Amino acid sequence: MKKEKMINMIAQERSKLGLSTYAAAEKAGINQSTWHRVEAGEIDASWETLFSMAGAVGLSVNISIIR
């Protein structure tokens, strides 16, 4: 999955839950500015940050390596 698609899914879930970026960022252990900038596409977030964001809105991340 591309990061942009994951970010869109996270943003949609956050919105559906009625969470502010501040509340979601607090749950993810990142600052609100970072959350906002990731959603706005202003920064290229690390996978670790995206996994934290996904968890904060109740999404699970599954990684598979296929040969």
Side-chain angles (χ1 to χ4, degrees):
M1 172 181 292
K2 292 186 177 189
K3 286 183 179 180
E4 294 81 15
K5 183 175 180 180
M6 187 173 182
I7 293 166
N8 287 335
M9 291 176 70
I10 292 167
Q12 288 175 0
E13 195 65 23
R14 181 186 63 76
S15 181
K16 192 178 355 174
L17 294 171
L19 286 174
S20 66
T21 56
Y22 180 83
E26 197 168 76
K27 290 177 87 169
I30 62 175
N31 69 44
Q32 185 275 338
S33 173
T34 299
W35 189 292
H36 173 78
R37 292 178 70 206
V38 169
E39 278 195 12
E42 296 175 2
I43 60 173
D44 182 21
S46 69
W47 285 107
E48 181 180 2
T49 296
L50 293 177
F51 297 162
S52 295
M53 291 173 71
V57 297
L59 297 174
S60 297
V61 178
N62 182 6
I63 300 172
S64 298
I65 299 174
I66 302 170
R67 176 174 273 185

